[in-house]
Amino acid sequence: MTSNNGKLPIHKHIPHASRIVYGGMHLGGGWNKNPISKDDEIQAQDLLETALANGINTLDLADIYTFGKAEEVIGRVFKKAPHLIDKLIIQSKLGIKLTHDAKVKQYDLSASWAEKGLDAILKRLRIEKLDVLFLHRPDPLMEIESLATTLNKNYEHDKFEYLALSNMHAGQMAYIQSNVSMPVIANQLEMSLLASDFVEDAITVNMDINSQVGFPRGTIEYCLPQGIQLQAWASLAQGIFDPNHTNTEVTREIIDTRLLVGELAENYNTSPSAIVLAWLMRHPAMIQPVIGTTTPKRLVEAAEAGKILLSRDDWYHLLETRRGREVP
């Protein structure tokens, strides 16, 4: 069964955005202090070209990914292959501080850090303008007036095209939107067959169990009328539902779901990864999964998900198997 979703605009503001996002959080040689190698550059270019060849044109990064090396290795690729820049929608995030001058890990959405962070992102990527700038995490010490002034100034100076948020609820989104001059166009949250509280929030209304739901209540319902695109990080849940996954220290529900995913992959003539993503993408919010991988094969498999429309029976069967019980 083929989905029409792949033919519809995903973003209200970026209608040519791909249904799936490539996440480069492990690029540049990994989370270590090793310098970027030639092989790292070759790997990054291969992954970008594989993504584009399979209809994935949105690239997700952050200033902290592999301690800045992810952006830097992409910048080296762009220097060698500048034609790739215009083919990609490039988004990156700032707001988590892992620098040597920070005594503890912290979130920083101060005006000064936002200014420095955006300039550093552009320098590492070797570009003059970012397509989408994300604020990575809510900062309890954020002073919205000064932050908004800095964001508005950099927006007017054409350093980024769109503003987006990550890991924020409806109230936080509305608060930031009311203070900046540009529209907030996306929010990136953990959403998957494993992190399925976004569904639990909807189906356990008026039940005591709803108090245990971790997904920010009302976020989807806020985003849809506002034209805010939902993106899902950890959308494959590190492959935990793959029938070939080697982790055996999991719940009975996870094991049963793996078996069902394998069966559905055969029925739909696709990969287990595509089934897991198709479950997420079946939601009418048109969620954009972010696929963080350094394996081209996984990108090719992910792209297949955009061609699949799970039946209602199969969608609910996966949900109930994952829950370990019927829906209420």
Side-chain angles (χ1 to χ4, degrees):
M1 201 171 200
T2 301
S3 168
N4 288 325
N5 289 351
K7 298 179 181 178
L8 296 174
I10 307 304
H11 271 286
K12 171 184 175 182
H13 297 277
I14 313 177
H16 61 290
S18 54
R19 189 71 175 86
I20 293 170
V21 176
Y22 172 53
M25 71 175 299
H26 299 296
L27 296 178
W31 292 78
N32 53 54
K33 299 298 182 181
N34 298 336
I36 296 171
S37 69
K38 200 70 175 176
D39 286 343
D40 295 332
E41 294 180 33
I42 292 171
Q43 177 192 56
Q45 184 166 349
D46 182 35
L47 285 161
L48 290 185
E49 291 177 346
T50 299
L52 288 168
N54 287 274
I56 300 172
N57 69 353
T58 306
L59 170 64
D60 178 76
L61 298 163
D63 56 358
I64 64 165
Y65 288 170
T66 58
F67 306 111
K69 293 190 297 178
E71 289 177 335
E72 187 178 342
V73 75
I74 291 295
R76 294 187 186 187
V77 171
F78 286 164
K79 182 179 180 181
K80 293 191 302 180
H83 64 281
L84 293 175
I85 298 174
D86 292 336
K87 294 181 179 181
L88 291 164
I89 298 164
I90 307 166
Q91 58 184 49
S92 194
K93 314 177 197 73
L94 58 79
I96 300 179
K97 205 168 189 178
L98 297 178
T99 58
H100 65 277
D101 60 337
K103 294 182 180 179
V104 295
K105 178 184 177 181
Q106 58 187 269
Y107 306 140
D108 193 341
L109 291 181
S110 64
S112 61
W113 186 253
E115 181 91 39
K116 294 175 185 175
L118 177 56
D119 285 342
I121 288 171
L122 296 175
K123 182 178 180 181
R124 283 190 292 268
L125 289 173
R126 307 189 192 206
I127 58 176
E128 295 181 356
K129 182 177 183 178
L130 193 64
D131 293 311
V132 189
L133 172 65
F134 276 76
L135 306 183
H136 206 161
R137 286 275 182 181
D139 173 14
L141 300 182
M142 176 184 71
E143 297 176 0
I144 190 60
E145 294 84 3
S146 58
L147 174 63
T149 297
T150 294
L151 292 173
N152 291 339
K153 180 190 71 174
N154 282 281
Y155 176 73
E156 291 166 4
H157 289 174
D158 216 25
K159 290 187 178 181
F160 67 94
E161 184 72 21
Y162 299 105
L163 182 67
L165 309 174
S166 182
N167 304 297
M168 298 198 191
H169 59 58
Q172 292 165 323
M173 287 186 279
Y175 182 49
I176 291 174
Q177 179 64 92
S178 67
N179 282 275
V180 296
S181 60
M182 75 292 298
V184 171
I185 70 159
N187 189 16
Q188 194 175 112
L189 297 147
E190 184 177 12
M191 304 168 78
S192 69
L193 184 55
L194 181 67
S196 55
D197 272 4
F198 70 101
V199 175
E200 293 295 316
D201 180 49
I203 65 176
T204 58
V205 172
N206 203 34
M207 298 176 63
D208 289 342
I209 196 174
N210 191 259
S211 65
Q212 301 174 25
V213 171
F215 190 80
R217 187 162 299 129
T219 296
I220 292 177
E221 293 76 10
Y222 175 82
C223 288
L224 289 178
Q226 297 291 329
I228 297 174
Q229 175 64 42
L230 285 160
Q231 294 185 352
W233 59 266
S235 57
L236 282 170
Q238 297 182 322
I240 197 169
F241 295 117
D242 191 315
N244 296 316
H245 199 288
T246 56
N247 183 357
T248 57
E249 297 180 3
V250 292
T251 63
R252 180 74 251 175
E253 290 80 10
I254 298 296
I255 294 171
D256 290 345
T257 305
R258 283 178 183 169
L259 294 173
L260 179 56
V261 165
E263 292 174 13
L264 292 175
E266 290 186 12
N267 294 344
Y268 285 83
N269 192 29
T270 190
S271 67
S273 295
I275 292 296
V276 173
L277 293 177
W279 183 86
L280 183 66
M281 295 162 68
R282 180 68 166 79
H283 195 282
M286 298 288 282
I287 298 163
Q288 269 185 305
V290 180
I291 310 301
T293 183
T294 54
T295 306
K297 180 176 179 288
R298 183 62 61 88
L299 274 180
V300 175
E301 291 175 348
E304 295 176 4
K307 304 173 184 177
I308 299 168
L309 181 64
L310 291 179
S311 70
R312 274 183 168 269
D313 284 348
D314 290 338
W315 192 89
Y316 272 100
H317 194 182
L318 278 166
L319 175 63
E320 290 195 349
T321 305
R322 163 68 185 93
R323 297 179 90 241
R325 60 193 183 281
E326 292 183 338
V327 296

